[in-house]
């Protein structure tokens, strides 16, 4: 039989030789073919390396066969035909391979010649078969009927190399066209589909990632370098499949888990195959270790080495299969997780975009994506544990039964179940505590988020220390739960490490009691099995916990997705009726559709109305009368309780009262998905008074808008969203109080150019407090308490002297009467003087001069590059107790490892020496050594938890304190999501992850070194092997980390844009729906998810790439170690020690992968520490208190403010904003500050509060230079009402008096003065009535009244009003102005004016222009001079208001 098989080699040898000759003859005529050099030049680096390796291996097999032939001839004098034939054939095969490479075929046809492939496959099949036959015969399973080929040493060694040759056959064939393409273009395409186009071998070994590693080594990786994800993982594909799967479910109640399973079942099934193979392969080692130890024990110098070599090879093969299947299993699980996460995120986004009325809270949706979708994605990694666990226990039972018999194996299983059962209550406690931590964290993050949004107000009121303490109290609650959780984790960790000890003590105890014969082989096999059982014991509670948590997440998402889609309330847009734009039917609407609101609807429409095409409809009414709700009913954004649907014919555009602008450029905000029409765009900018602002910014309309438009003023945001509506060129415009945030001049401009200009042919429905804009309307609706109390033409309504409109007009006239210009309007305008139009255009704190430069810099998050610095590690390690406990923890691990090895060696040695050691001694010493190791592991776990708690707390305190002490410019340039990311995601990593990762790395290294020492003790040659392998591993790790580090950083930074987009979309959902832009926003969302997925996909892939290589290296070392143990003479080794070394060697690949994985993961995770530390070193504001410079408690007594040559610039590189201002604001006077945009009004107020420190000059208040005292002492003595009214979640009491310094009586007095008492009394809880997040349950006007009440309660000598009444109707405004006058009669009041009546009755008016004082005098004196800048402003305002005032007068005569 042997001869006949060897004869088969001859045809292969002839075929290989023929192939070379034929090809040489065929190509002789094409010697000068210029393509050849090109093709050779284009051979890819990695393919060439692969080919070279193949050639080397082929030559090795040739040399081995030749050498073995010489050896046989030399010793026995026989010429072995098998060796000679194989040597000749392998020589020719190597020749064909070298020739094929050198002729440049390997680029054009990566698959080698067919004759070579056939030879490789034949050789592999023959050698595999002969090795298998030998194993079967050796293990004595069955006596074979006739002689089959037996392997020699060359066959055994060459089998792994033949596996590689077979894989080499699978390379993809490239088309000639691919070679023809330019190199750069082809590279791009390769990147785009590097995974999809990879061969089986490339996917198996993750070679498709090589180009990415090359790129990462040369330059810093950016998103554009990362190839896209495979089609199956794209968000669009994944979400469509999931939606389809949900639709297929016929039942009423859709099951989300079933739907997800329906979309990924094929991938799950493939993954299950890998998981099963991995489990079976992992048990082959423990099963065969007894055979190997018995071989070593019984070996004498004459015994056959082949048996030992075959065992060594089986070990190597099973470990290789285990490693590869594990990598493919884990990577497959991550791929499924990416797909599931993407699909759920898209579904949640679509749902939150379509949910009407009171949509989902931002926090809830962010949690659904951040926590629930993430958890369901992670569960794909755990899912196979459900069925693998019983298989693992069963296989362990089989091995124990095989080695020890029935009773000990049953005892072992009972001990395992005992450990699992004792672990379960701990796991349940862990889960409960984890939930408590999450609840505490959620609440802390919510409060942090609100605090960051309101940081300007907090700093101006000097409340930030109080809010910081509140946050620290919340963190303390979270920390208490964290402490309990981590100590519970210590108990679980102790059980994990002690479980093999406990199970082995019980099992061997039973063996000794029953006098079961023990050998070192059976003992070591049992110990290896116990170590493998350790994992399912540990994983069971985690698995149960994960199933429970995933079920909760499924339920939460299903509940959210299953909420009734409120589409039935959407306004219908039926066939267009001629001339009619909107049909409003009688009906009732309420925001809360609970039973209580059914009795008291928010608005009630009593009669049908038709709004004709081209009509202008004005809606007016006092604060809280239901104007916004009426507009929402037309949009279909408020639930309808009764009545018919409101019909809207045509496209709608909407401008909400609370401006909504997106993060992006000004142009993107205005175009809002439409194509650019330059001419129309310019007309829109001009009509919306945006030209002047745009000219002022560095990048014109390409300037970037910050988060929530935080670097724009209220008026700028309002005009941008008005421009967005106008540019949309819709049929019907719904404008909610579009003029409130702008000054009189700009308001008039907008009204003329927009409403009466560009929108003259359109239907416009607008709510307004500015009654001067009513007379141009075709129909006026007057609202009160949710009812339309009057409707008709302006002239008709004004004629009704008892009507609601007349009452409001009287208040309006009263405010105009305050301005008594010495001459009428015409003479003011007619005077021949230089016209220098000063516009009172609104501003936000933070002068727009620095807008462009400021925000361009801050949009992209700053990330560190290169290695995480050692200073980050040292700061982290020494944060708790200056690092004193770290050496103690390491010592505990060393002692644990030493005692563990000692106990295992003792029982292996003592069982062989049973004549010297009694059974009592054997088990007694084993229990003592094992118990000692368990005590050290407990000490290690408890100390580690202590270090983790303290370290996390210190770093948190450092960061949060630094953030709260940062200047306001930091918050203007840093989106809150960036700070929140650090205090949530990064802090969580610090709390529960990094200390354990870092410690895990140290512990794994100690274990690895202990195994190396143990093996080296058996045979010193092993030590040299390990040095070489560790060197190669270290090289791989350094090669890997440059790419992996940047990918890990990218994973962190690509998540934030998804959350930001979600948050932004939910806030502006009404606007997005109105403009029918859902599809565009969904596209953007898909793109952001894909960006995150591709980074995550390649991040997971790179980790597996490294593990495959390192695993193979260590498996190979283990193989060589076994061969060394087999080769060494019996006299030179201790079989028990050698067997122990082999037993520990089974874990070598897992341990080494754990070391490398931890090494890389630690660096990736340490990026969180790096990010937190970034925010502990923010430049701080001036001290809150300077003890030796504290002002007197009663300061300021008079309120006199002196400005002496005040100069301010935001940065040394930016221009000076205030240019040497010198003036005095006398005490107890009212000073109005006016000036156009960029004149420095805001900067002056900021300098007063030291938001910006002066670059020259000084400010003196009552004799005290404010730059010499602490910020808290300064700001707490001043009062301010900012332009944006800010309320906090809590109660009315906590909003008015956060520091709890006032009695209820004082609060009620202030509420009466601000006309809020009646509103507060509507709720039975009175001052404890809840205020929603951002004060959402109060109208904008009511919020401004609360802010006014808050300041009046403080009773400060100096009060700054930044147009505090912009969103209040004139009647209420008059009352408020009167209240301010009465309450602040002995105060210095500085008013930054947006509306002229606000400052006309002030004692003094300061007019600024370009950072200099233009005029500073009494308003009466300035009005007498017709050429004064102030008189022109008054004339402008009177012109815009006189018409409506005259009408009012006419009707009252």
């Amino acid at each position: 039989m042997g001869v006949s098989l060897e004869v088969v080699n001859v045809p292969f040898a002839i075929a290989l030789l023929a192939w070379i000759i034929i090809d040489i003859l065929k190509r002789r005529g094409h010697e000068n073919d210029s393509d050849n050099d090109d093709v050779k030049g284009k051979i890819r680096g990695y393919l060439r390396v692969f080919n070279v390796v193949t050639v080397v291996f082929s030559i090795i097999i040739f040399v081995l066969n030749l050498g073995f032939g010489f050896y046989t001839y030399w010793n026995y004098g026989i010429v072995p035909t098998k060796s000679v034939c194989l040597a000749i054939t392998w020589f020719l095969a190597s020749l064909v391979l070298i020739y094929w490479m050198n002729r440049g075929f390997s680029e054009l046809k990566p698959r080698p010649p067919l004759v070579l492939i056939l030879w490789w496959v034949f050789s592999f099949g023959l050698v595999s078969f002969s090795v298998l036959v030998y194993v079967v015969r050796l293990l004595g399973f069955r006596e074979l009927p006739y002689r089959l080929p037996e392997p020699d040493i060359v066959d055994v060694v060459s089998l792994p190399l033949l596996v590689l040759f077979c894989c080499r056959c699978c390379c993809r064939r490239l088309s000639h066209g691919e070679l023809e393409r330019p190199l750069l273009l082809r590279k791009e395409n390769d990147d785009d589909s590097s995974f999809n186009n990879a061969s089986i071998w490339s996917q198996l070994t993750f070679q498709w990632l090589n180009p990415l590693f090359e790129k990462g080594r040369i330059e810093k990786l950016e998103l554009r370098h990362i190839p896209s994800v495979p089609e199956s993982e794209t968000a669009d594909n994944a979400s469509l499949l999931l939606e389809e799967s949900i639709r297929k479910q016929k039942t009423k109640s859709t099951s989300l888990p079933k739907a997800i399973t329906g979309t990924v079942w094929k991938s799950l099934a493939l993954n299950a195959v890998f998981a099963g193979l991995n489990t079976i392969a992992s048990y082959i080692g423990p099963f065969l270790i007894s055979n190997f130890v018995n071989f070593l024990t019984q070996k004498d110098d004459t015994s056959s080495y082949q048996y030992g070599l075959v065992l060594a090879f089986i070990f190597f093969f099973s470990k290789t299969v285990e490693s590869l299947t594990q990598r493919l299993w884990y990577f497959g699980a991550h791929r499924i997780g990416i797909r599931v996460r993407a699909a759920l995120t898209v579904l949640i986004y679509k749902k939150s975009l379509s949910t009407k009325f009171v949509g989902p809270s931002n926090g809830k949706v962010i949690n659904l994506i951040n926590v629930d979708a993430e958890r369901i994605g992670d569960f794909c990694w755990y899912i196979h544990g459900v069925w693998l666990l019983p298989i693992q226990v069963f296989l362990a039972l089989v091995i124990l039964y095989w080695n020890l018999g029935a009773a000990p194996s049953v005892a072992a299983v009972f001990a395992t179940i005992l450990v699992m059962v004792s672990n379960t209550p701990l796991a349940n406690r862990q889960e409960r505590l984890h939930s408590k931590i999450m609840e505490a964290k959620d609440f802390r993050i919510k409060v942090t988020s609100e605090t960051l949004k309101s940081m300007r107000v907090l700093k101006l009121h000097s409340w930030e220390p109080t809010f910081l303490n509140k946050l620290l109290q919340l963190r303390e609650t979270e920390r208490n739960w964290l402490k309990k959780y981590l100590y519970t984790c210590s108990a679980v960790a102790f059980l994990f490490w002690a479980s093999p000890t406990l199970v082995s003590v019980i099992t061997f105890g039973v063996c000794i009691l029953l006098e079961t014969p023990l050998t070192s082989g059976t003992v070591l096999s049992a110990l290896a099995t116990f170590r493998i059982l350790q994992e399912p014991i540990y994983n069971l509670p985690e698995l149960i916990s994960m199933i429970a948590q995933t079920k909760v997440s499924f339920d939460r998402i299903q509940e959210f997705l299953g909420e009734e889609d409120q589409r039935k309330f959407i306004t219908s847009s039926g066939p267009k009726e001629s001339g009619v734009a909107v049909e409003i039917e009688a009906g009732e609407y309420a925001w809360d559709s609970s039973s209580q609101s059914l009795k008291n609807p928010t608005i009630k429409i009593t009669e049908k109305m038709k709004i004709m095409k081209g009509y202008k409809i004005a809606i007016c009414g006092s604060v809280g009368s239901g104007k916004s709700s009426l507009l929402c009913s037309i949009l279909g954004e408020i639930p309808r309780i009764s009545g018919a649907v409101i019909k809207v014919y045509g496209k709608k555009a909407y401008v909400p009262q609370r401006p909504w602008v997106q993060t992006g450029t000004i142009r993107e905000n205005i175009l809002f998905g439409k194509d650019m029409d330059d001419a129309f765009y310019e007309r829109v900018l001009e009509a919306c008074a945006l030209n002047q602002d745009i000219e002022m910014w560095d990048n014109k309309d390409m300037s970037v808008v910050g988060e929530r438009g935080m670097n724009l003023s209220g008026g700028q945001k309002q005009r941008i969203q008005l421009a967005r509506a106008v540019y949309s060129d819709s049929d019907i415009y719904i404008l909610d109080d579009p003029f409130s945030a702008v000054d009189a001049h700009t308001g008039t401009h907008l009204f003329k150019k927009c409403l009466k200009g560009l929108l003259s042919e359109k239907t416009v429905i607008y709510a307004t407090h500015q009654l001067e804009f009513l007379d141009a309307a075709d129909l006026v609706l007057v609202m009160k308490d949710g009812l339309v109390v009057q409707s008709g033409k302006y002239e008709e309504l004004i004629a009704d002297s008892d009507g609601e409109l007349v009452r409001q007009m009287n208040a309006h006239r009263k405010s105009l009467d305050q301005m008594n210009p010495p001459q009428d309007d015409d003479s003011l305008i007619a005077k021949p003087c230089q016209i220098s139009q000063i516009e009172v255009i609104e501003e936000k704190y933070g002068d727009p001069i620095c807008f462009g430069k400021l925000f361009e810099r801050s949009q992209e998050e700053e990330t560190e590059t290169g290695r995480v610095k050692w200073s980050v590690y040292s700061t982290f390690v020494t944060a708790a107790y200056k690092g004193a406990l770290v050496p103690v923890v390491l010592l505990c691990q060393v002692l644990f490892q030493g005692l563990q090895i000692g106990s295992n060696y003792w029982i292996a040695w003592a069982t062989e020496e049973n004549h010297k050691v009694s059974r009592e001694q054997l088990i007694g010493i084993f229990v003592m050594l094992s118990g000692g190791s368990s005590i050290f592991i407990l000490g290690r776990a408890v100390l580690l938890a202590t270090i983790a708690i303290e370290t996390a707390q210190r770093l948190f305190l450092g960061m949060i304190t630094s953030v709260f002490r940062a200047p306001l410019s930091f918050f203007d340039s840093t989106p809150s999501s960036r700070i929140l990311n650090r205090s949530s995601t990064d802090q969580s990593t610090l709390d529960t992850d990094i200390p354990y990762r870092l410690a895990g790395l140290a512990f794994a290294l100690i274990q690895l070194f202990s195994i190396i020492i143990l093996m080296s003790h058996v045979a010193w040659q092993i030590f040299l092997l390990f040095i070489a392998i560790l060197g190669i591993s270290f090289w791989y790790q350094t090669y890997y980390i440059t790419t992996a580090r940047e990918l890990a950083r990218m994973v962190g930074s690509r998540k934030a844009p998804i959350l930001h987009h979600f948050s932004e979309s939910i806030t502006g959902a009404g606007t997005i729906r109105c403009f029918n832009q859902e599809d565009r926003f969904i596209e953007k969302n898909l793109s952001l998810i894909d960006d995150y997925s591709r980074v995550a996909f390649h991040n997971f892939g790179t980790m597996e790439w490294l593990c495959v290589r390192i695993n193979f290296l260590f498996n190979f070392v283990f193989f060589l170690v076994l061969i060394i143990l087999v080769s060494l003479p019996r006299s030179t080794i201790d079989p028990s020690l050698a067997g122990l070394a082999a037993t520990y060697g089974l874990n070598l690949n897992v341990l080494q992968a754990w070391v490398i994985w931890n090494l890389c993961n630690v660096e990736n995770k340490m990026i969180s520490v790096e990010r937190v530390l970034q925010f502990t070193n923010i430049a701080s504001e001036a001290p809150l208190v300077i003890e030796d410079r504290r002002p007197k408690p009663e300061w300021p007594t008079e309120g006199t403010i002196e400005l002496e040559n005040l100069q301010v610039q935001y940065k040394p590189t930016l221009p000076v904003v205030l240019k040497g201002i010198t003036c005095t604001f006398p005490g107890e006077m009212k000073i109005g500050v006016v000036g156009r945009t960029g004149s420095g009004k805001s900067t002056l107020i900021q300098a007063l509060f030291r938001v910006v420190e002066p670059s020259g000059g000084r400010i003196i208040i009552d004799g005290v230079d404010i730059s010499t005292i602490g910020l808290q002492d300064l700001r707490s003595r001043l009062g301010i009402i900012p332009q944006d009214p800010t309320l906090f979640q809590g109660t009315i009491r906590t909003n008015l008096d956060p520091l709890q310094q006032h009695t209820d009586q004082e609060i009620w007095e202030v509420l009466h003065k601000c006309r809020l008492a009646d509103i507060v009394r509507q709720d039975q809880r009175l001052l404890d009535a809840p205020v929603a997040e951002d004060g959402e349950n109060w109208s904008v006007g009511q919020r401004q009244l609360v802010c006014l009440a808050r300041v009046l309660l403080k009773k400060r000598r100096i009060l700054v009003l930044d147009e505090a009444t912009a969103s209040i109707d004139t009647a209420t405004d008059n009352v408020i102005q009167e209240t301010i006058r009465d309450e602040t009669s002995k105060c210095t009041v500085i008013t930054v004016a947006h509306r002229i009546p606000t400052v006309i009755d002030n004692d003094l008016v300061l007019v600024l222009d370009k950072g200099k004082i233009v005029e500073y005098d009494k308003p009466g004196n300035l009005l007498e001079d017709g050429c004064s800048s102030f008189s022109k402003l008054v004339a402008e305002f009177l012109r815009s208001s006189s018409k409506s005032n005259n009408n009012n007068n006419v009707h009252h005569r």
Side-chain angles (χ1 to χ4, degrees), residues 1239-1256:
S1239 61
K1241 306 190 299 291
S1242 295
T1243 309
L1244 179 62
I1245 302 304
Q1246 294 197 71
L1248 183 62
F1249 281 84
R1250 285 179 65 192
V1251 169
V1252 184
E1253 297 286 353
S1255 53

Side-chain angles (χ1 to χ4, degrees), residues 489-530:
C489 289
S490 302
V492 172
F494 165 69
L495 213 54
F496 172 68
W497 288 104
S499 60
T501 305
L502 182 67
V503 175
S504 55
V505 165
I506 290 171
T507 309
F508 295 140
V510 170
C511 287
I512 287 165
L513 282 172
L514 299 175
E515 298 188 355
T516 307
L518 290 174
T519 64
S520 57
T522 54
V523 164
L524 291 171
S525 179
L527 287 172
T529 308
F530 297 148

Side-chain angles (χ1 to χ4, degrees), residues 879-908:
Y881 314 109
K882 296 186 178 174
L885 291 181
V886 174
V888 184
V889 171
L890 294 177
L891 181 65
C892 283
Q893 175 64 20
V894 170
L895 291 170
F896 158 73
Q897 196 62 40
L899 288 171
Q900 190 85 347
I901 291 174
S903 68
N904 290 348
Y905 176 63
W906 164 258
I907 197 154

Side-chain angles (χ1 to χ4, degrees), residues 1073-1087:
R1073 282 194 293 270
C1074 181
F1075 282 88
N1076 292 321
Q1077 290 287 316
E1078 293 101 322
D1079 288 347
R1080 185 169 67 87
F1081 275 76
I1082 288 167
E1083 278 298 318
K1084 173 80 184 294
N1085 184 50
L1086 291 173
S1087 162

Side-chain angles (χ1 to χ4, degrees), residues 617-628 630-631 735-737 765-775 777 779-792 794 797-798 803-809 1369-1370:
I617 311 296
I619 303 171
C620 64
S622 57
V623 171
S625 61
K627 301 183 295 297
S628 298
L630 178 63
L631 295 179
L735 317 178
D736 194 354
D737 203 5
I765 305 168
Y766 60 99
T768 184
H769 287 302
Q770 278 84 340
L771 303 182
E772 59 267 26
F773 299 135
L774 296 183
D775 60 328
L779 179 69
V780 177
L781 305 178
V782 185
M783 297 203 68
K784 186 179 182 182
D785 300 330
L787 291 167
V788 179
V789 289
Q790 281 183 292
S791 67
Y794 176 76
L797 299 181
I798 214 75
E804 176 68 16
L805 182 62
V806 170
R807 189 187 71 75
Q808 291 188 27
M809 289 304 295
D1369 59 281
T1370 317

Side-chain angles (χ1 to χ4, degrees), residues 1312-1323:
H1312 278 289
K1313 288 169 187 169
C1314 295
R1315 301 296 187 271
L1316 279 168
D1318 292 338
I1319 298 168
V1320 173
R1321 284 202 179 93
Q1322 287 172 8
D1323 193 307

Side-chain angles (χ1 to χ4, degrees), residues 175 266 277 443 452 483 507 515 614 663 732 738 841 848 920 933 987 1037 1140 1191 1276 1426 1433 1442:
S175 68
K266 286 181 184 172
L277 284 173
F443 191 53
L452 292 173
K483 200 180 284 185
T507 309
E515 298 188 355
T663 307
I732 296 135
I841 292 184
E920 292 76 18
S933 71
Q987 188 60 44
Q1037 194 263 340
L1140 187 64
S1276 62
L1433 285 170
S1442 58

